[in-house]
Amino acid sequence: MKDKSTVRNTLALLFMAACCAFSGDADFNGRWDISIPGSVGRAWWLEVVGAGTPSPKVKFVSAYNGDLNVADEVSMIGDELVFGFRFRQRRQQGEEPVPVHSIYKARLAGAGLIGTAETEGSDRAAVKWVGVRAPEIKDKDDGTWLEATPVRLFNGKDLAGWEALEKDRKFSWTVEGGILKAAGGGANLVSTRKFWNSKLHIEYKLSEHSNSGIGLRGRYEIQVFDDHGQPPNSHGNGALYSRIAPRVNASKPAGEWQSYDITLIGRDLTVVLNGIKVIDKQVVEGLTAMGHDPDEGKPGPLSLQGDHGPVEFRNIVITPLVKK
């Protein structure tokens, strides 16, 4: 029979081993910016809390529904974080939705993550992805910023200074009568210039039931949506898509010109829609589904969504902001 000291020592060693394991698991906690090597036009975002505890939780932004989604299941299996989503999806237009189970796996690799994404039962190869910790951005909208020289991004004549984000998709953007137009269903448009803290003025016109978006720094989508007269929500016009709802719905009816005046300093976001402040210095936690540039700590482009419905833009002016 083992003496009591041996038993105590054994239990102490087991406890220390468990603590070390939990400590390693806790390294998954935090926010992560994710890219898919070889892919253009898509960046993901991940937040992990409670890793190293019995109840870890995951929030995730990917192509899945374009939303900020809470994982249906989260677990630690060996040195891997495994999380998944269960939903119903139509395989083809007109077909009945079928159950889908998507599974994501991640391992720590130095200071980053490496992972895979796959659909249960699919014969497609798993998608490989990499993650880096989202940076702390210290700039604040604190009244210490001055306007620099405004930059007119659209000259009203042609597409100089713009390019297709997805080179393999139909390009439906045209310039007619000083208006930048997208017929919908094609590539997104992205500026060749990049910006950091700035004010954006942009005017747009939507067709009935249409949908578009404006990507700040190529990461954070301000929704453009025909929802005049509807209650405000995080997917409506004036929203930081799927993250911050506008306090009121200030939308005009489809077919009328509307305007955004948007200030982004660090992660502090203010949105004025048609002269009405709908978001006031709210904090942007991370990427939205329109994000395609995951380097949150660096300047990024302005992007315009052309893969949904018809939309027109004019008077696109960005004013960089500099310290006093």
Side-chain angles (χ1 to χ4, degrees), residues 33-303:
D33 294 329
I34 296 173
S35 57
I36 300 91
S39 173
V40 176
R42 181 66 66 186
W44 297 347
W45 181 88
L46 171 68
E47 182 181 52
V48 183
V49 296
T53 75
S55 301
K57 292 180 174 60
V58 160
K59 292 181 181 178
F60 191 59
V61 172
S62 73
Y64 161 43
N65 278 354
D67 284 340
L68 175 65
N69 295 288
V70 177
D72 296 311
E73 56 210 27
V74 186
S75 61
M76 297 298 310
I77 302 177
D79 62 351
E80 283 190 323
L81 171 71
V82 181
F83 59 97
F85 303 91
R86 296 179 184 271
F87 53 99
R88 297 181 69 82
Q89 186 178 64
R90 287 183 175 87
R91 298 297 191 188
Q92 300 290 337
Q93 189 171 0
E95 291 184 356
E96 288 298 314
V98 297
V100 176
H101 183 202
S102 59
I103 304 167
Y104 297 80
K105 299 178 181 180
R107 289 188 294 109
L108 294 165
L113 294 179
I114 55 174
T116 59
E118 56 189 326
T119 300
E120 189 175 67
S122 173
D123 57 1
R124 294 183 179 180
V127 174
K128 296 181 180 180
W129 53 267
V130 296
V132 298
R133 287 198 180 275
E136 179 185 1
I137 301 176
K138 295 183 178 180
D139 293 350
K140 302 294 293 183
D141 188 354
D142 56 6
T144 63
W145 300 86
L146 293 176
E147 295 185 6
T149 303
V151 178
R152 185 168 291 276
L153 280 183
F154 172 51
N155 62 18
K157 301 175 182 178
D158 54 37
L159 288 166
W162 296 88
E163 61 186 8
L165 176 61
E166 308 92 346
K167 302 298 191 291
D168 59 343
R169 297 185 66 176
K170 178 179 71 173
F171 189 82
S172 65
W173 294 89
T174 59
V175 178
E176 300 176 28
I179 307 300
L180 178 60
K181 298 183 178 182
N188 294 330
L189 198 64
V190 61
S191 68
T192 56
R193 292 188 62 170
K194 296 186 176 183
F195 303 90
W196 186 238
N197 298 331
S198 63
K199 290 184 175 180
L200 167 68
H201 176 83
I202 187 168
E203 298 170 14
Y204 67 94
K205 183 166 65 174
L206 282 169
S207 301
E208 191 173 2
H209 308 305
S210 193
N211 184 346
S212 181
I214 299 164
L216 309 176
R217 297 182 192 151
R219 297 164 197 144
Y220 317 124
E221 178 186 355
I222 304 301
Q223 173 73 308
V224 173
F225 189 56
D226 175 28
D227 66 353
H228 173 68
Q230 300 298 313
N233 66 80
S234 63
H235 293 77
N237 206 35
L240 176 64
Y241 187 78
S242 190
R243 287 189 177 273
I244 303 174
R247 64 179 185 85
V248 296
N249 185 339
S251 301
K252 295 181 180 181
E256 295 188 21
W257 282 103
Q258 307 191 55
S259 67
Y260 272 125
D261 290 281
I262 302 167
T263 302
L264 180 61
I265 299 175
R267 295 186 180 276
D268 292 348
L269 174 69
T270 296
V271 177
V272 177
L273 172 60
N274 297 322
I276 298 173
K277 188 177 291 185
V278 295
I279 296 175
D280 186 12
K281 295 183 183 179
Q282 296 293 300
V283 175
V284 178
E285 293 185 340
L287 275 66
T288 68
M290 189 179 163
H292 56 85
D293 183 339
D295 294 328
E296 283 195 277
K298 298 180 181 178
L302 184 73
S303 48

